[in-house]
Each structure stands twice: as structure tokens, then as C-alpha cells.
Amino acid sequence: MKLLYTLNERPPYGLTFLLALQHMLASIGGIVAVPLIVGSSIGLPSGEVVSLINAALLVSGVVTIAQCIGIGPVGIRLPVVMGSSFGFLGVAISIGKDGGVGSIMGAALIGSFFVILASFYMDKVRKLFPTVVSGVVVTLIGLTILPVAMNWVGDAPAVSQEFATLPKLFLAAVSLGIVVMVSVYCRGAVAASAIVIGLTGGYLVALSLGMVDLEQIAATPWIGGPEPLKYGLTFSAGAIVSMSLVYIVVIAEATGDFMALANNCQTRIDGKDLKRGLLGDGLGSTLAALLTAMPLASFSQNVGIVGITGVASRYVVAATGGLLILGGLFPKLAAIAVTIPKPVLGGVGFVMFGMIAYAGIRMLIKAADTKRNALVICVGLASGLAVTFEPRLLQHLPHDLSNFLHSGITTGTIVTVILNQLLPKSTRKEEREALVESQAQVELELAEHDSEHVTVAATAETKETAVQEQAPSRQQLNIQQD
């Protein structure tokens, strides 16, 4: 797919704002949800929860800018949005109930050092991710986060009668339909803005149906900001170990996100690039802990937006970071975005997350179609999807190991890397035969495609000739009637 704006191009200011806004709208729900859920679950007053949200938005914006623009050895310089990660949700609530917010921040601070340390070995880690492994990881990112979009559409507990009611399905379908229609039938800046147009269209329909809660805007203060070390830092060995295990998951997911982004941006990244990206990730979480915000990770949905819109400019997403900072300093602005109904986000999410899976499939197509690679791909995908669809498979494992493997991305990545290292490599002959077979299949499909066009053209020409032959006879008939 041809890019509308490449990695280092700068769109006009007005268009940059519009494109940055759609990245913000796609990510702000997740950024706000994590501190909201954690704060509410451990019993914080509403005012303190608002403070956590302000800090999350501000830190997410700062680290997003650092990742996109780069500061010396920090930042991957790709259009990546950073935000509070759902991966930390369970462990943060567990730690917070025992030791409070100070314990969460202490464990997050120490765990972030582990990510920083790991970043210096990414040149070696990159060698573990050839095309066949990278393709599986990126595909799993897209497929395993699809349930997030489904839950957004449902907008209620799965066992509730309010889950995915007809109005919610209608909202999701409208948003999805607008994104598809704009992407297919529009061009240039309009097509690039398909996500924000879909969100806006869905929002307006939701307003007309009375499905938007505007009270949130009125209840939100105009000015806010983070409160550094508000709860202090408390260190617990158990909490640090649990948090560090989640950070390992974040490392795997970040590696997949960066590779997927590079693929969508039509650029190559090496171990040094991954090192800069992961260093930005780790230092971002360090800053988050000091400013009383939840740990950060890259947001996969924004990877999908790059694929849909064809806008790979890192300066657009850097502008998104600026909008997030404004949201942290002026919560009233962020509250408007938070009022977008979940079904609207869910309808758009189907496209965003599906595009990530599509990027992974494109990467897999580039791998040699050998029996050995087929086994690596099949077992890796199956392992990741198995723990996603049926988490009870892990219920008899030790608690920490179960928490570590509950992410389909982590399990699928580990299995795929191990298989790729252990299975005998395909011979040169097998790879050449697979390549020749793939080329022959492509040529056959092109020939069939061309023959269909020829048939359609011939049919149209035959009909036109028949009409021309009939025209004189009709003229003669008219003369005879006169």
C-alpha cells in the first residue's frame, strides 16, 4: 500500500492536527481506563482518581513525543503512542489492595529498571525475530486484542442482558461502516482521516439516541496535573517480582508493536532501533512512577491506524503527544474525548485491530513456504490463541507463571522463538522450491485475474456491437412505418 505521508514527512498544520486527534481519540480511552479502574478498585476517593488520570495523560504525552522525535539514544523515532497499559491492571490492583498506591509505584519504579537493562541487549534479541517469528508475533497482537473491541461493543459485563444490545450493535455498525466507506471511496486527507470521521459520525448518532453521558464533562475540573511522589514509594519483594514479570510481557509486546509499525511505515529497524525504543519505554515508566502514573507501554491500536490511513509521519503522532499533555493539564478537554461511547470505539476498533493482524499476515507471506516454517507458524499461533480463548488451560500452574503466560502474545512469542531455534533449518533447496512454487501461484492468480478482465471487456464489446447492429434495423423500421 502506498503511503500518503512517509515517516519523516510533515503534513500541513491543519491536517496534522486532525490526524493527531484521531490517534488521541483511539488511545485516550485506554489511557484513562487503567488509572480509573485501579483507583476505584483499591478504594481511592474520586478526587485522587482524577489525579491519577491527569498524571497518566501527561506522562503518556511526554513519552510519546520522546519516542517519535527521539532524544539522543532514547526513542525509536517511529509513530508510536505510549500510554497506561492494561497488562499491568491485575497486578497493580493486587499490589494496591495490599500496600496502597505507594507500593504500586515502588514496584513499577524497580521494574522499569529491568526494562532499561534489557534494552541494551536488543541487538541480540532482534536476531531471535526473523520474518517467520515477527509475523507470528504481529498477527497475534492483532488477533488477541480483538476481544477488546468486542467488549467495547458490548459495553457491559458479558453475562449481563445489557451486553451488545441492538442500539449498541447499531452504533458499532455505523462507526465501522463510515470508516470503511471513507477509506474506500475517498482520497488524500479525507481518506487519511477515516478513523476520526468514523468516531465523529458514531458520536453524533449516539448523541441523537441519547447514549452520550455529558455529565462527565460538567463534573471534570478545568485545570489539573500530576502530583509527584504523592503517595511516596514503598518497596516489597513480592510486588517487585510480580511487576517485573509483567514488564517482560511488555517487552515482548513492544518488540512486536515496533516491528509491526516499521512494516506499516515501510522501513526497516534493527537491534539498535529496538534498543532506543525499549529504552524510551523503560525510562517512560520510570518517569511515570515518579509522577504517580501507571506504567506505560506502546498502544497497538495506533499501529492499526497507520496501516488504515497510510500516514506514517512520526510528527503527526508527536502532535498526539502534545494533545495528551494538554489533556493532562486541562482535564475538561480530555473529558470530551472520554464521553465517546464504547460501542463507537468498538466499531472502529474492529478495523484498527484487524489491520494489525493483516500486517502480520503480510510479513508471514514473505517467509519461505516450507514445512518447517509452517509448523513454527501453526504451533506459535495456536499456542497464543489457546490461552487467549481458554485461560483455564493455565489454572493449575503456579500463580506467578500463570500470570506470566496469560497473555497470548507472550505465550505465542515464547513458543515461536523456541521452535524456530530448535527445529532444523530448511535447506537451500527447500527454500528455493518454496519460492518457485509461490511465484508460480502468484503468476497463476495474475493470469486468472487478467482473463477475467478480458472476458468482461469482450462481453462489453459484444453488447456494444449488438446494439450498433440493431440500430440501423430500427431506423429502417421507422422509415417503413412513415
Side-chain angles (χ1 to χ4, degrees):
M1 183 177 69
K2 185 178 179 181
L3 293 176
L4 186 62
Y5 290 100
T6 58
L7 185 64
N8 294 310
E9 287 184 323
R10 299 172 185 255
Y13 291 121
L15 180 58
T16 295
F17 171 76
L18 189 63
L19 297 172
L21 182 63
Q22 71 182 359
H23 276 281
M24 177 189 174
L25 293 176
S27 59
I28 194 170
I31 296 173
V32 169
V34 174
L36 177 63
I37 294 171
V38 172
S40 302
S41 298
I42 63 177
L44 291 182
S46 58
E48 296 186 20
V49 173
V50 170
S51 178
L52 290 180
I53 292 173
N54 294 339
L57 289 169
L58 181 67
V59 174
S60 296
V62 170
V63 181
T64 294
I65 293 173
Q67 287 282 33
C68 295
I69 304 301
I71 304 173
V74 179
I76 194 167
R77 293 157 174 85
L78 289 176
V80 56
V81 174
M82 303 294 294
S84 305
S85 172
F86 278 99
F88 292 97
L89 203 57
V91 69
I93 292 173
S94 176
I95 294 171
K97 285 183 175 179
D98 291 336
V101 178
S103 186
I104 297 174
M105 298 304 153
L109 179 67
I110 302 301
S112 70
F113 296 155
F114 175 79
V115 180
I116 294 170
L117 180 64
S119 70
F120 291 96
Y121 298 93
M122 288 310 289
D123 53 341
K124 296 180 176 61
V125 173
R126 181 67 182 90
K127 296 176 182 178
L128 299 176
F129 289 84
T131 304
V132 64
V133 177
S134 302
V136 171
V137 175
V138 175
T139 303
L140 278 173
I141 290 174
L143 295 179
T144 55
I145 61 176
L146 264 177
V148 174
M150 298 176 193
N151 288 330
W152 283 345
V153 173
D155 194 24
V159 295
S160 170
Q161 291 294 321
E162 294 299 313
F163 185 85
T165 56
L166 290 180
K168 294 174 183 177
L169 292 177
F170 175 70
L171 269 187
V174 167
S175 305
L176 174 60
I178 292 173
V179 172
V180 172
M181 297 295 284
V182 171
S183 298
V184 172
Y185 293 107
C186 297
R187 295 289 180 268
V190 178
S193 307
I195 298 296
V196 73
I197 293 172
L199 290 171
T200 303
Y203 190 84
L204 292 175
V205 173
L207 270 175
S208 67
L209 296 175
M211 297 177 67
V212 178
D213 181 12
L214 297 176
E215 291 182 2
Q216 297 180 58
I217 301 175
T220 304
W222 278 103
I223 299 175
E227 299 181 48
L229 299 175
K230 177 178 180 178
Y231 302 94
L233 297 171
T234 306
F235 302 101
S236 161
I240 291 171
V241 170
S242 298
M243 190 68 78
S244 297
L245 288 175
V246 181
Y247 272 115
I248 296 175
V249 176
V250 169
I251 292 172
E253 293 182 356
T255 302
D257 283 342
F258 294 154
M259 290 187 295
L261 257 180
N263 184 69
N264 284 346
C265 295
Q266 298 177 9
T267 188
R268 291 181 176 275
I269 57 173
D270 55 21
K272 292 181 180 178
D273 296 314
L274 290 175
K275 174 185 174 181
R276 289 200 298 261
L278 205 60
L279 186 57
D281 202 327
L283 289 173
S285 289
T286 301
L287 177 64
L290 295 175
L291 294 182
T292 320
M294 294 294 143
L296 304 182
S298 55
F299 267 37
S300 299
Q301 55 262 49
N302 297 88
V303 179
I305 291 178
V306 173
I308 296 166
T309 62
V311 176
S313 172
R314 57 196 176 105
Y315 299 103
V316 165
V317 179
T320 301
L323 293 177
L324 290 172
I325 292 174
L326 288 176
L329 297 175
F330 303 99
K332 190 78 76 173
L333 299 176
I336 298 172
V338 175
T339 60
I340 297 175
K342 288 293 193 298
V344 173
L345 289 171
V348 174
F350 271 55
V351 183
M352 294 190 298
F353 301 152
M355 281 300 291
I356 300 172
Y358 169 69
I361 292 169
R362 285 179 59 195
M363 296 170 74
L364 290 175
I365 291 173
K366 297 176 183 177
D369 187 16
T370 62
K371 182 183 293 185
R372 184 253 186 204
N373 283 353
L375 285 171
V376 172
I377 293 169
C378 293
V379 177
L381 286 174
S383 301
L385 294 176
V387 298
T388 300
F389 295 149
E390 188 47 88
R392 290 177 299 176
L393 288 171
L394 307 173
Q395 64 183 345
H396 296 297
L397 295 178
H399 180 69
D400 287 340
L401 182 59
S402 176
N403 281 342
F404 176 59
L405 295 176
H406 87 281
S407 166
I409 300 169
T410 304
T411 300
T413 298
I414 292 172
V415 170
T416 307
V417 168
I418 291 174
L419 275 179
N420 189 59
Q421 292 297 310
L422 295 181
L423 293 183
K425 304 296 181 184
S426 302
T427 64
R428 292 278 186 179
K429 181 181 178 182
E430 289 174 329
E431 290 184 352
R432 278 196 298 269
E433 289 176 350
L435 181 60
V436 169
E437 184 180 348
S438 297
Q439 290 176 336
Q441 182 64 32
V442 170
E443 290 173 0
L444 178 61
E445 291 179 0
L446 286 174
E448 290 177 354
H449 186 67
D450 291 340
S451 66
E452 288 176 2
H453 275 283
V454 171
T455 302
V456 171
T459 303
E461 185 177 350
T462 302
K463 290 181 178 179
E464 185 177 351
T465 303
V467 170
Q468 290 175 352
E469 290 175 350
Q470 290 174 8
S473 61
R474 289 174 179 168
Q475 187 176 11
Q476 292 171 6
L477 180 62
N478 291 335
I479 293 171
Q480 290 174 4
Q481 287 176 348
D482 291 341

